[in-house]
């Protein structure tokens, strides 16, 4: 066993970074045995040096992350700063100085993953990022290593714990959106500004990373269709229950039937209660993978939090450290297919549409004609009404999303349609 330690620079020491430092210290002997050499925390770059960081030697603290990386003895950098800059510049600096990188930065990887992978390959170094998607759940490595010999056709999952907690509370207690969000905030699941979570930005970044790995093609954040969940209402959940469904914010990644393109999207959807994802409660994450040979697989667990995310970071640290000792690198970017990402309009899906209509003869016929004119077939219709007003709920068969959205726009123009109360896609069948 090598006795000279591998030296690690920790960039960022917030909730995740402090847990990484704690585990490196408390599990030092075990990590040494698993790696084949000691790993030593050689420096911790922070913005606020005056903050008390329990268990971390104050002499390791620095505000100059660039100098830490350039000092010449660092083997591995762990980046848990988040955001685009200065993280991007620091990772680039690390590669330029022969340092492999472990990152939890989903936003940066979704935006500039290709460039970062290219830099790592150019310098013969590793870029690992298990913690960037779904926290402690082993997902990135199974997709890019365990299933590397298989063909993945679909990935569908709950990849944001905050939104799942909110939707679960709305489903189980009948709470409204704001009430459930307030509870999530009080419990620490939601940030003071929850926009990144509830508007789907966080999930979209993770979707881009997963799609790139699953389909061996480059998918950027801008390629992912994104729709938030702030408009989901108690009435939507009531409709879902009548259909034997619940509602989840899903990341859905699919290979086209002809294999010539892929799609990536994030939006709320009704899914049957019989689907494995329907039973994912609280702030947990779960990802359902459909592969040609392996069949259906599901990965489940805590998708966020200091300790769970630190677990994923440490797993990557062990892998990268072993590679360093072997003078090798692990798998890099695989984008050989170069498949185009189709727009949302080309996606074949189903709609659940709730309409407020006039309660008079001929309304249903008029609505049905509008669907037919746009090439959309109706699966079921439910109508209730009194005193001249009515509610009409239509569930369609599968059709291109552009045809479905075009139908909705045409319905809005009918003089018998007072308004479109809600639109929800139906998935998981």
């Amino acid at each position: 066993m090598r006795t000279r330690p591998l030296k690690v620079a920790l960039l960022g020491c917030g909730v995740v970074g402090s847990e990484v430092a704690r585990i490196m210290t408390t599990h030092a002997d075990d990590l040494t045995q698993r790696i084949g050499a000691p790993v030593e925390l050689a420096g911790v770059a922070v913005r606020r040096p005056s903050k008390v960081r329990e268990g971390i030697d104050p002499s390791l603290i620095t505000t100059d992350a660039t100098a830490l990386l350039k000092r010449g003895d660092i083997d591995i950098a762990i980046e848990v700063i988040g955001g685009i800059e200065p993280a991007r510049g620091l990772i680039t600096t690390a590669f330029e100085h022969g340092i492999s990188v472990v990152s939890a930065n989903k936003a940066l990887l979704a935006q500039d993953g290709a460039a970062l992978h290219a830099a790592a390959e150019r310098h013969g170094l590793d870029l690992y990022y298990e913690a960037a998607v779904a926290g402690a759940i082993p997902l990135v490595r199974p997709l890019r290593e365990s299933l590397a010999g298989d063909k993945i056709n679909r990935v569908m999952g709950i990849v944001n714990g905050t939104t799942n907690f909110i939707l679960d509370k709305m489903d189980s207690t009948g709470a409204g959106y704001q009430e459930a969000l307030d509870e999530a905030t009080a419990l620490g699941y939601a940030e003071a500004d929850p926009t990144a979570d509830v508007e789907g930005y966080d999930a979209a970044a993770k979707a881009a990373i997963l799609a790139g790995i699953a389909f061996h093609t480059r998918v950027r954040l801008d390629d992912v269709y994104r729709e938030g969940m702030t408009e989901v209402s108690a009435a939507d959940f009531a409709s879902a229950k009548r259909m034997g469904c619940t509602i989840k914010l899903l990341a859905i990644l699919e290979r086209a039937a002809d294999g010539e393109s892929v799609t990536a999207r994030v939006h709320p959807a009704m899914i049957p209660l019989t689907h494995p994802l329907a039973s994912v409660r609280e702030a947990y994450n779960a990802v359902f993978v459909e592969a040609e040979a392996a069949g259906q697989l599901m990965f489940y667990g805590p998708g966020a939090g200091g300790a769970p995310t630190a677990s994923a970071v440490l797993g990557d640290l062990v892998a990268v450290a072993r590679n360093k000792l072997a003078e090798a690198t692990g798998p890099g970017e695989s984008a050989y297919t170069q498949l185009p990402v189709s727009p949302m309009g080309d996606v074949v899906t189903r709609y659940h549409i709730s309409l407020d209509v006039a309660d008079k003869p001929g309304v249903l016929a008029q609505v049905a004609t509008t669907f037919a004119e746009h090439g959309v077939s109706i699966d079921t219709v439910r109508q209730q009404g009194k005193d001249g007003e009515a509610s009409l709920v239509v569930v369609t068969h599968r059709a291109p999303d552009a045809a479905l959205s075009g139908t909705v726009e045409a319905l809005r123009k009918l003089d018998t349609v007072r308004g479109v109360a809600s639109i929800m896609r139906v998935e998981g069948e």
Side-chain angles (χ1 to χ4, degrees):
M1 179 180 291
R2 169 174 146 167
T3 57
R4 183 174 69 82
L6 292 163
K7 295 195 174 184
V8 178
L10 180 60
L11 311 179
C13 196
V15 173
V16 176
S18 59
E19 279 296 313
V20 169
R22 181 188 67 79
I23 295 172
M24 285 186 66
T25 301
T26 59
H27 294 181
D29 291 341
D30 285 339
L31 290 172
T32 297
Q33 295 299 318
R34 294 168 192 172
I35 292 168
V39 286
E40 175 187 314
L41 188 58
V44 182
V46 300
R47 287 186 299 173
R48 297 186 295 275
S50 60
K51 181 179 177 180
V52 176
R53 293 173 172 85
E54 187 175 346
I56 298 177
D57 183 348
S59 67
L60 297 178
I61 302 297
T62 178
T63 57
D64 195 339
T66 301
L68 173 61
L69 295 171
K70 288 182 175 180
R71 74 186 205 184
D73 63 340
I74 302 299
D75 297 291
I76 302 168
I78 297 175
E79 184 273 307
V80 286
I81 298 171
I84 305 302
E85 293 292 357
R88 175 170 49 195
L90 292 173
I91 291 175
T92 301
T93 298
F95 290 147
E96 291 171 348
H97 289 79
I99 301 167
S100 288
V101 174
V102 173
S103 176
N105 196 330
K106 55 187 170 288
L108 178 58
L109 288 160
Q111 178 172 306
D112 288 327
L116 295 176
H117 274 293
E121 184 177 359
R122 187 164 59 250
H123 293 284
L125 298 164
D126 276 325
L127 173 62
Y128 274 51
Y129 45 90
E130 183 68 66
V133 182
I137 304 173
L139 186 58
V140 171
R141 197 169 299 143
L143 288 179
R144 74 174 183 176
E145 296 181 36
S146 303
L147 295 172
D150 209 339
K151 181 181 180 181
I152 297 174
N153 292 317
R154 195 168 196 248
V155 179
M156 183 168 76
I158 299 163
V159 294
N160 182 278
T162 300
T163 54
N164 198 59
F165 179 88
I166 293 170
L167 292 173
D168 181 41
K169 290 302 175 184
M170 292 177 71
D171 184 26
S172 60
T173 69
Y177 167 76
Q178 189 60 50
E179 183 182 352
L181 173 59
D182 290 344
E183 182 177 355
T185 304
L187 292 172
Y189 291 127
E191 301 287 345
D193 179 1
T195 302
D197 293 324
V198 300
E199 294 295 352
Y201 292 102
D202 175 85
K206 296 169 183 176
I209 295 169
L210 291 177
I213 299 169
F215 304 134
H216 303 280
T217 197
R218 286 177 178 166
V219 180
R220 288 170 51 89
L221 180 59
D222 292 345
D223 296 321
V224 181
Y225 172 84
R226 177 198 55 79
E227 186 180 311
M229 49 154 282
T230 56
E231 299 301 318
V232 176
S233 67
D236 291 324
F237 273 101
S239 292
K241 287 181 179 180
R242 282 192 287 268
M243 291 178 59
C245 293
T246 189
I247 299 171
K248 300 291 185 182
L249 184 76
L250 299 177
I252 304 172
L253 322 168
E254 294 176 300
R255 187 191 301 270
D258 61 7
E260 297 300 316
S261 64
V262 298
T263 58
R265 50 195 167 110
V266 169
H267 55 72
M270 294 182 179
I271 58 171
L273 294 175
T274 53
H275 194 283
L277 292 177
S279 61
V280 178
R281 318 296 293 187
E282 299 283 332
Y284 277 76
N285 285 191
V287 177
F288 199 72
V289 177
E290 298 178 26
E292 201 163 88
Q296 297 179 334
L297 308 169
M298 188 162 120
F299 301 84
Y300 169 84
T309 305
S311 171
V313 170
L314 268 294
D316 279 350
L317 174 64
V318 169
V320 171
R322 287 171 175 170
N323 291 342
K324 280 280 185 180
L325 295 180
E327 298 183 346
T329 56
E333 182 189 34
S334 175
Y336 70 92
T337 61
Q338 299 183 17
L339 297 173
V341 181
S342 296
M344 185 64 192
D346 292 347
V347 174
V348 176
T349 185
R350 297 178 68 200
Y351 272 23
H352 173 284
I353 306 169
S354 180
L355 303 171
D356 295 327
V357 299
D359 187 15
K360 63 181 183 180
V363 172
L364 181 56
Q366 192 178 35
V367 168
T369 297
T370 302
F371 276 92
E373 289 173 346
H374 287 79
V376 177
S377 176
I378 294 175
D379 182 17
T380 61
V381 178
R382 185 178 70 254
Q383 184 173 10
Q384 293 177 322
K386 64 177 182 178
D387 300 327
E389 297 295 331
S391 172
L392 190 65
V393 176
V394 180
V395 180
T396 73
H397 284 294
R398 291 172 62 82
D401 201 81
L404 289 162
S405 60
T407 304
V408 172
E409 289 307 307
L411 290 170
R412 295 182 193 274
K413 297 176 182 178
L414 296 179
D415 57 6
T416 53
V417 174
R418 310 295 192 219
V420 179
S422 70
I423 306 168
M424 186 81 61
R425 293 177 181 88
V426 182
E427 299 288 342
E429 296 174 301

